[in-house]
Amino acid sequence: MTAAGAFDDWTRTVQAYVEQALERALPAAGAEPRKLHEAMRYTVLGGGKRVRPLLVFAAGALFGADAGALARVAAAVEMIHVYSLVHDDMPCMDDDDLRRGKPTLHVAYDEATALLAGDALQAQAFAVLSEAGDIAPARQLAMVRLLALAAGPAGMCGGQAIDLDSVGQSLTLDQLEQMHQLKTGALLRAAVVLGALAGAELPAHELAALETYSNAIGLAFQVVDDVLDATADSATLGKTAGKDAAANKPTYVSILGLEPSRELAEKLRCEAHQALAPFGDKALRLRELADLIVQRKA
Amino acid sequence: MTAAGAFDDWTRTVQAYVEQALERALPAAGAEPRKLHEAMRYTVLGGGKRVRPLLVFAAGALFGADAGALARVAAAVEMIHVYSLVHDDMPCMDDDDLRRGKPTLHVAYDEATALLAGDALQAQAFAVLSEAGDIAPARQLAMVRLLALAAGPAGMCGGQAIDLDSVGQSLTLDQLEQMHQLKTGALLRAAVVLGALAGAELPAHELAALETYSNAIGLAFQVVDDVLDATADSATLGKTAGKDAAANKPTYVSILGLEPSRELAEKLRCEAHQALAPFGDKALRLRELADLIVQRKA
């Protein structure tokens, strides 16, 4: 089998396994309050590239983490990610109608249900991550705290707040980078580190290497998002294309231009690879995920 | 000093101590993103009766819990409570302008900031509760899970969803009770049990006694809320009075009538007292809090 074939097989296997974990972690569709449960399931199940779960499993492979533990970690991180999309899409935020090729939750249901389903998903993420299992309790507690900090005002919510304030502003490249390191970077970093911690306590130098990798792919992810937003169509993206320019939001493309943005993404991909050097062959999947993030078309 | 004087002193001491814990648990006002941080502080600090923190401390007293641990637990529970108020007050939910005598967060700031500040408060609650301290890690992990379950679809968010669906419906008394056991009861129960767990692992019969107490005061809290909503004015309540009737929401007063609702509250107060009998004098503050909940005027 080719390397690409093996990677594709691995991603499909992880995606299917995570889908099952999400299915188990979500409240049953038939139970009351039915509308809330259905809304949670509508937005979480059956869609998305599952980049964060793939990072969780790839990082877990470095430290021999148990697949069941990784599935719970991946489900928790993905539920935080999905709730943030649901709330970001609401009329008072980005007001978007299309996500993962489907109507957004407040369009398919209503705003109150979208607000509540997002809130419930965040709570459920912490319920799943704090479920007793095989991880040493003190380490698992540190993992809960790491996810909470990545999701909160010093992480994802903080980045989203800076993003809101930046509409119509001219940001420097540093300010743009800082915003994305919080808005999307914090949760991607959490996915990598939590995956690793599901396997073992990390020595400081290995934690630092994983953080360098995570920062590089986090930025690359956003640079590529901006390139795709400027060049792809909505059908390919599964979400509204060109909306950053329409909203007068600063992007890598608007600050650097298209070709330099592509070059930056490639440079970040190389940085990510270099950071993984100490892990040798065990980091194969993390390297391939860096490639996937930079080379994706949607 | 009279018993009432001693209780008032105790509540003021706990409230001041919890205020400091909340102050520490919130991001600094001067740091970026400033608007998000200010919004979180606006809505959390300097207001509210702090019923849930008082329950945390009163229950902690039964098992000799450390004051620092209780303060973190109380701050976490209160942040969950406050975030739920912020989101409930938004235009797509109850659309309320007044809370704790101040403009609600989306009125004082804007809807996007209210949405985001609520999300950030929920994350911060779990960050505070998972901070490493003196509690045995396995027990602390169970406490995180307990709060997450109380806040999620099987708790507060689930109750809120039932509430949304109930507007204009005629509920039976059982259905109304089930809604409130989730919407407000789950978090009140969590406050009591988490306060106790901050001190020690609970034997099953003591946990059961605390749950009976919590269920009684949780329902009493709601019955009294409904009585006050029907009888007090907005200035006294610090929130919009008469809004349940205006929204055509089923309440204890609309189902039972005013005087039977008052009698039910008194009956629940007695049940709460009875449940505490096994704890003897140590449960004094929990008994007084049951009285406070039933006899409050706002």
Side-chain angles (χ1 to χ4, degrees), chain B residues 223-279:
Chain B
V223 174
V224 172
D225 243 25
D226 288 353
V227 168
L228 291 172
D229 187 68
T231 57
D233 59 32
S234 300
T236 308
L237 292 182
K239 63 181 179 182
T240 311
K243 70 175 180 174
D244 290 340
N248 197 19
K249 278 192 181 183
T251 70
Y252 283 96
V253 174
S254 72
I255 294 179
L256 292 178
L258 192 57
E259 206 43 52
S261 296
R262 286 188 173 125
E263 286 163 16
L264 175 59
E266 180 57 23
K267 176 172 159 282
L268 290 164
R269 191 180 72 83
C270 295
E271 278 180 27
H273 277 246
Q274 279 162 9
L276 296 173
F279 298 108

Coordinates of all heavy atoms in Angstrom, one line a residue, chain B residues 223-279:
Chain B
V223 N -40.9 27.6 43.7 CA -42.2 28.0 44.1 C -42.2 29.4 44.6 O -43.1 30.2 44.2 CB -42.7 27.0 45.2 CG1 -44.1 27.5 45.7 CG2 -42.8 25.6 44.6
V224 N -41.2 29.8 45.4 CA -41.2 31.1 45.9 C -40.9 32.1 44.8 O -41.4 33.2 44.8 CB -40.1 31.2 47.0 CG1 -39.8 32.6 47.5 CG2 -40.5 30.3 48.2
D225 N -40.0 31.7 43.9 CA -39.8 32.6 42.7 C -41.1 32.9 42.0 O -41.4 34.1 41.6 CB -38.9 31.9 41.7 CG -37.6 32.6 41.5 OD1 -37.2 33.3 42.4 OD2 -37.0 32.4 40.4
D226 N -41.9 31.9 41.8 CA -43.2 32.1 41.1 C -44.2 33.0 41.9 O -44.9 33.8 41.4 CB -43.9 30.8 40.9 CG -43.2 30.0 39.8 OD1 -42.3 30.5 39.1 OD2 -43.6 28.8 39.5
V227 N -44.1 32.8 43.3 CA -45.0 33.6 44.1 C -44.5 35.1 44.1 O -45.3 36.0 43.9 CB -44.9 33.1 45.6 CG1 -45.5 34.2 46.6 CG2 -45.6 31.8 45.7
L228 N -43.2 35.3 44.1 CA -42.7 36.7 44.1 C -42.9 37.3 42.7 O -43.2 38.5 42.6 CB -41.2 36.7 44.4 CG -40.8 36.3 45.8 CD1 -39.3 36.1 46.0 CD2 -41.3 37.4 46.8
D229 N -42.8 36.5 41.6 CA -43.0 37.0 40.3 C -44.4 37.5 40.2 O -44.7 38.5 39.5 CB -42.7 35.9 39.2 CG -42.8 36.5 37.8 OD1 -41.9 37.3 37.5 OD2 -43.7 36.1 37.1
A230 N -45.3 36.9 40.9 CA -46.8 37.3 40.8 C -47.1 38.4 41.8 O -48.2 39.0 41.6 CB -47.6 36.0 41.1
T231 N -46.3 38.6 42.8 CA -46.7 39.5 43.9 C -45.8 40.7 44.1 O -46.3 41.8 44.6 CB -46.9 38.8 45.2 OG1 -45.6 38.2 45.5 CG2 -47.9 37.7 45.2
A232 N -44.5 40.6 43.8 CA -43.6 41.7 44.1 C -43.4 42.6 42.9 O -43.8 42.3 41.7 CB -42.2 41.1 44.5
D233 N -42.8 43.8 43.1 CA -42.6 44.7 41.9 C -41.1 44.5 41.5 O -40.2 44.0 42.1 CB -42.9 46.1 42.2 CG -42.2 46.6 43.4 OD1 -41.0 46.2 43.6 OD2 -42.7 47.5 44.2
S234 N -40.8 45.1 40.3 CA -39.5 44.9 39.7 C -38.4 45.5 40.5 O -37.3 45.0 40.6 CB -39.5 45.5 38.3 OG -40.4 44.9 37.4
A235 N -38.7 46.7 41.1 CA -37.7 47.3 41.9 C -37.2 46.5 43.1 O -36.0 46.3 43.4 CB -38.2 48.7 42.4
T236 N -38.2 45.8 43.7 CA -37.8 44.9 44.8 C -37.1 43.7 44.3 O -36.1 43.3 44.9 CB -39.1 44.4 45.5 OG1 -39.9 45.6 45.9 CG2 -38.8 43.6 46.8
L237 N -37.5 43.1 43.2 CA -36.9 41.9 42.7 C -35.5 42.1 42.1 O -34.7 41.2 42.0 CB -37.8 41.2 41.7 CG -39.1 40.6 42.2 CD1 -39.8 39.9 41.0 CD2 -38.8 39.6 43.3
G238 N -35.3 43.3 41.5 CA -34.1 43.6 40.8 C -34.1 43.0 39.4 O -33.1 42.9 38.7
K239 N -35.3 42.4 39.0 CA -35.5 41.9 37.7 C -36.9 42.1 37.3 O -37.7 42.5 38.2 CB -35.1 40.4 37.6 CG -35.9 39.5 38.5 CD -35.5 38.0 38.4 CE -36.3 37.2 39.3 NZ -35.9 35.8 39.3
T240 N -37.3 41.9 36.1 CA -38.6 42.2 35.6 C -39.7 41.3 36.3 O -39.6 40.1 36.2 CB -38.7 42.0 34.1 OG1 -37.6 42.7 33.5 CG2 -40.0 42.6 33.5
A241 N -40.6 41.9 37.0 CA -41.7 41.2 37.7 C -42.8 40.9 36.7 O -43.0 41.6 35.7 CB -42.2 42.0 38.9
G242 N -43.6 39.8 37.0 CA -44.8 39.5 36.2 C -44.5 39.0 34.9 O -45.4 38.8 34.0
K243 N -43.2 38.6 34.6 CA -42.9 38.3 33.2 C -43.4 36.8 32.8 O -43.6 36.6 31.7 CB -41.4 38.4 32.9 CG -40.5 37.5 33.6 CD -39.1 37.7 33.1 CE -38.2 36.6 33.8 NZ -36.9 36.6 33.4
D244 N -43.5 36.0 33.8 CA -44.0 34.6 33.5 C -45.4 34.7 33.0 O -45.7 34.0 32.0 CB -43.9 33.7 34.8 CG -42.5 33.4 35.1 OD1 -41.6 33.6 34.2 OD2 -42.2 33.1 36.3
A245 N -46.3 35.4 33.7 CA -47.7 35.5 33.3 C -47.7 36.2 31.9 O -48.4 35.7 31.0 CB -48.5 36.3 34.3
A246 N -46.9 37.2 31.7 CA -46.9 37.9 30.5 C -46.5 37.0 29.3 O -47.0 37.1 28.2 CB -46.0 39.2 30.5
A247 N -45.5 36.1 29.6 CA -45.0 35.2 28.6 C -45.9 33.9 28.5 O -45.6 33.0 27.7 CB -43.6 34.8 28.9
N248 N -47.0 33.9 29.3 CA -47.9 32.8 29.3 C -47.1 31.5 29.6 O -47.3 30.4 29.0 CB -48.5 32.6 27.9 CG -49.8 31.7 27.9 OD1 -50.3 31.5 29.0 ND2 -50.2 31.2 26.8
K249 N -46.2 31.6 30.6 CA -45.5 30.4 31.1 C -46.2 29.7 32.2 O -46.7 30.4 33.1 CB -44.1 30.8 31.6 CG -43.1 31.0 30.5 CD -41.7 31.1 31.1 CE -40.6 31.3 30.0 NZ -39.3 31.3 30.6
P250 N -46.3 28.4 32.3 CA -46.9 27.8 33.4 C -46.0 28.0 34.7 O -44.8 27.9 34.6 CB -46.9 26.3 33.0 CG -45.9 26.1 31.9 CD -45.8 27.5 31.2
T251 N -46.7 28.3 35.8 CA -46.0 28.5 37.0 C -46.8 27.8 38.1 O -47.9 27.4 37.9 CB -45.9 30.0 37.4 OG1 -47.2 30.4 37.8 CG2 -45.3 30.8 36.3
Y252 N -46.1 27.6 39.3 CA -46.9 27.1 40.5 C -48.1 27.9 40.8 O -49.2 27.4 41.1 CB -46.0 27.0 41.7 CG -45.0 25.8 41.6 CD1 -43.7 26.0 41.1 CD2 -45.4 24.5 41.9 CE1 -42.9 24.9 40.9 CE2 -44.6 23.4 41.7 CZ -43.3 23.6 41.2 OH -42.5 22.5 41.0
V253 N -48.0 29.2 40.7 CA -49.1 30.1 41.0 C -50.2 29.9 40.0 O -51.4 29.8 40.3 CB -48.7 31.6 41.0 CG1 -49.9 32.5 41.2 CG2 -47.7 31.8 42.2
S254 N -49.9 29.7 38.7 CA -50.9 29.6 37.7 C -51.6 28.2 37.8 O -52.7 28.1 37.4 CB -50.3 29.8 36.2 OG -49.5 28.7 35.8
I255 N -50.8 27.2 38.2 CA -51.4 25.9 38.3 C -52.1 25.6 39.7 O -53.3 25.1 39.7 CB -50.3 24.8 38.1 CG1 -49.8 24.8 36.7 CG2 -50.9 23.4 38.4 CD1 -48.7 23.8 36.4
L256 N -51.5 26.1 40.8 CA -52.0 25.8 42.1 C -52.8 26.9 42.7 O -53.7 26.7 43.6 CB -50.9 25.5 43.1 CG -50.1 24.2 42.9 CD1 -49.0 24.1 44.0 CD2 -51.0 23.0 43.0
G257 N -52.5 28.2 42.3 CA -53.0 29.3 42.9 C -52.0 29.9 44.0 O -51.1 29.2 44.3
L258 N -52.2 31.1 44.4 CA -51.2 31.8 45.3 C -51.1 31.2 46.6 O -50.0 30.8 47.1 CB -51.6 33.3 45.4 CG -50.6 34.2 45.9 CD1 -49.3 34.1 45.1 CD2 -51.1 35.6 45.9
E259 N -52.2 31.0 47.4 CA -52.1 30.5 48.7 C -51.6 29.1 48.8 O -50.7 28.8 49.6 CB -53.4 30.7 49.5 CG -53.3 30.9 51.0 CD -52.2 31.8 51.4 OE1 -52.1 32.9 50.9 OE2 -51.3 31.3 52.2
P260 N -52.1 28.2 48.0 CA -51.6 26.8 48.0 C -50.1 26.8 47.6 O -49.4 25.9 48.1 CB -52.4 26.1 46.9 CG -53.7 26.8 46.9 CD -53.3 28.3 47.1
S261 N -49.6 27.7 46.8 CA -48.2 27.8 46.5 C -47.4 28.1 47.7 O -46.3 27.5 48.0 CB -47.9 28.8 45.4 OG -48.6 28.4 44.2
R262 N -47.9 29.1 48.5 CA -47.2 29.5 49.7 C -47.2 28.3 50.7 O -46.2 28.0 51.3 CB -47.9 30.6 50.4 CG -47.7 32.0 49.6 CD -48.2 33.2 50.4 NE -47.8 34.4 49.8 CZ -48.7 35.4 49.4 NH1 -50.0 35.2 49.6 NH2 -48.2 36.5 48.9
E263 N -48.3 27.5 50.7 CA -48.3 26.4 51.6 C -47.3 25.3 51.2 O -46.7 24.6 52.0 CB -49.7 25.8 51.7 CG -50.7 26.7 52.5 CD -52.1 26.4 52.3 OE1 -52.4 25.3 51.7 OE2 -53.0 27.2 52.6
L264 N -47.2 25.1 49.9 CA -46.3 24.1 49.3 C -44.9 24.5 49.7 O -44.1 23.6 50.1 CB -46.4 24.0 47.8 CG -45.4 23.1 47.1 CD1 -45.5 21.7 47.6 CD2 -45.7 23.1 45.6
A265 N -44.5 25.8 49.6 CA -43.2 26.2 49.9 C -42.9 25.9 51.4 O -41.8 25.5 51.7 CB -43.0 27.7 49.7
E266 N -43.8 26.2 52.3 CA -43.6 25.9 53.7 C -43.5 24.4 53.9 O -42.6 24.0 54.7 CB -44.8 26.5 54.5 CG -44.8 26.3 56.0 CD -43.5 26.8 56.6 OE1 -42.9 27.8 56.0 OE2 -43.2 26.3 57.7
K267 N -44.3 23.6 53.2 CA -44.2 22.1 53.4 C -42.8 21.7 52.9 O -42.1 20.8 53.6 CB -45.2 21.5 52.5 CG -45.2 20.0 52.5 CD -46.5 19.4 51.7 CE -46.2 18.0 51.2 NZ -45.4 18.0 50.0
L268 N -42.3 22.2 51.8 CA -40.9 21.8 51.3 C -39.8 22.3 52.3 O -38.8 21.6 52.5 CB -40.7 22.5 50.0 CG -41.5 21.9 48.8 CD1 -41.5 22.8 47.6 CD2 -41.0 20.5 48.5
R269 N -40.0 23.4 53.0 CA -39.1 23.9 54.0 C -39.0 22.8 55.1 O -37.9 22.5 55.6 CB -39.5 25.2 54.5 CG -38.5 25.9 55.4 CD -39.0 27.3 55.9 NE -40.1 27.1 56.9 CZ -39.8 26.9 58.2 NH1 -38.6 26.9 58.7 NH2 -40.8 26.8 59.1
C270 N -40.1 22.3 55.5 CA -40.1 21.3 56.6 C -39.5 20.0 56.1 O -38.7 19.4 56.9 CB -41.6 21.0 57.0 SG -42.4 22.4 57.8
E271 N -39.7 19.6 54.9 CA -39.0 18.4 54.4 C -37.5 18.6 54.4 O -36.8 17.7 54.7 CB -39.5 18.2 52.9 CG -40.8 17.4 52.8 CD -41.2 17.2 51.4 OE1 -40.3 17.1 50.5 OE2 -42.4 17.2 51.1
A272 N -37.1 19.8 54.0 CA -35.7 20.1 54.0 C -35.1 19.9 55.4 O -34.0 19.3 55.6 CB -35.4 21.5 53.4
H273 N -35.8 20.5 56.3 CA -35.3 20.4 57.7 C -35.2 18.9 58.2 O -34.2 18.5 58.8 CB -36.2 21.1 58.7 CG -36.0 22.6 58.7 ND1 -35.5 23.2 59.9 CD2 -36.0 23.6 57.8 CE1 -35.3 24.5 59.6 NE2 -35.6 24.8 58.4
Q274 N -36.3 18.1 57.9 CA -36.3 16.7 58.3 C -35.1 15.9 57.7 O -34.5 15.1 58.3 CB -37.6 16.1 57.8 CG -38.8 16.4 58.8 CD -40.1 16.1 58.2 OE1 -40.2 15.6 57.1 NE2 -41.2 16.5 58.9
A275 N -34.8 16.3 56.4 CA -33.7 15.5 55.8 C -32.4 15.7 56.5 O -31.5 14.9 56.4 CB -33.6 15.9 54.3
L276 N -32.3 16.9 57.1 CA -31.0 17.2 57.8 C -30.9 16.6 59.2 O -29.8 16.7 59.8 CB -30.8 18.7 57.9 CG -30.8 19.5 56.5 CD1 -30.8 21.0 56.7 CD2 -29.5 19.0 55.7
A277 N -31.9 16.0 59.7 CA -31.9 15.5 61.0 C -30.6 14.7 61.4 O -30.0 14.9 62.4 CB -33.2 14.7 61.3
P278 N -30.2 13.7 60.5 CA -29.0 12.9 60.8 C -27.8 13.7 61.1 O -26.8 13.2 61.7 CB -28.8 12.0 59.6 CG -30.1 12.1 58.8 CD -30.8 13.4 59.2
F279 N -27.7 14.9 60.6 CA -26.5 15.7 60.7 C -26.4 16.5 62.0 O -25.4 17.1 62.3 CB -26.3 16.6 59.5 CG -26.1 15.9 58.2 CD1 -27.2 15.9 57.3 CD2 -25.0 15.2 57.9 CE1 -27.0 15.3 56.1 CE2 -24.9 14.5 56.7 CZ -25.9 14.5 55.8

